[in-house]
Amino acid sequence: ENCMNSVFTEFVNWQTLGTYAGCLAMVLMLTQLTKTIPGVSKIPTQLWSWILAAVILVAAQYFAGTLTAETGVLSLFNAVIVSLAANGGFEAAQRILGGKDA
């Protein structure tokens, strides 16, 4: 039972979500899954992805016990990097899959 519990908690955990790669992957998925929800659909997608990234990064700091004013502010700045990568990465994949390699 411990082995199975470990498998599920290691797939996504706060430590992983606090990294660039983990946060980026989650923001990509959550943005695409939620951007058409009523209410959310009125928010520009790029802003929505920043909000998701900021929440994930601040929450990761909180649950790791490392959230301070300094790390919180840095998480907001890091969310910009994650959001820009998430938006650009999705658009590039759409261009390539759509045959428009710009």
Side-chain angles (χ1 to χ4, degrees), residues 22-98:
C23 187
L24 176 60
M26 190 57 69
V27 167
L28 268 167
M29 290 183 282
L30 290 178
T31 300
Q32 295 311 310
L33 289 172
T34 61
K35 71 180 184 179
T36 58
I37 294 174
V40 173
S41 63
K42 295 179 183 191
I43 302 170
T45 303
Q46 292 168 332
L47 175 59
W48 180 239
S49 70
W50 177 82
I51 292 168
L52 289 172
V55 168
I56 290 168
L57 290 172
V58 170
Q61 293 284 331
Y62 174 79
F63 289 115
T66 57
L67 182 60
T68 64
E70 181 181 348
T71 61
V73 171
L74 288 174
S75 290
L76 299 179
F77 293 140
N78 287 333
V80 172
I81 297 167
V82 171
S83 176
L84 289 172
N87 292 314
F90 183 75
E91 290 170 7
Q94 277 189 314
R95 278 196 308 273
I96 292 167
L97 294 175

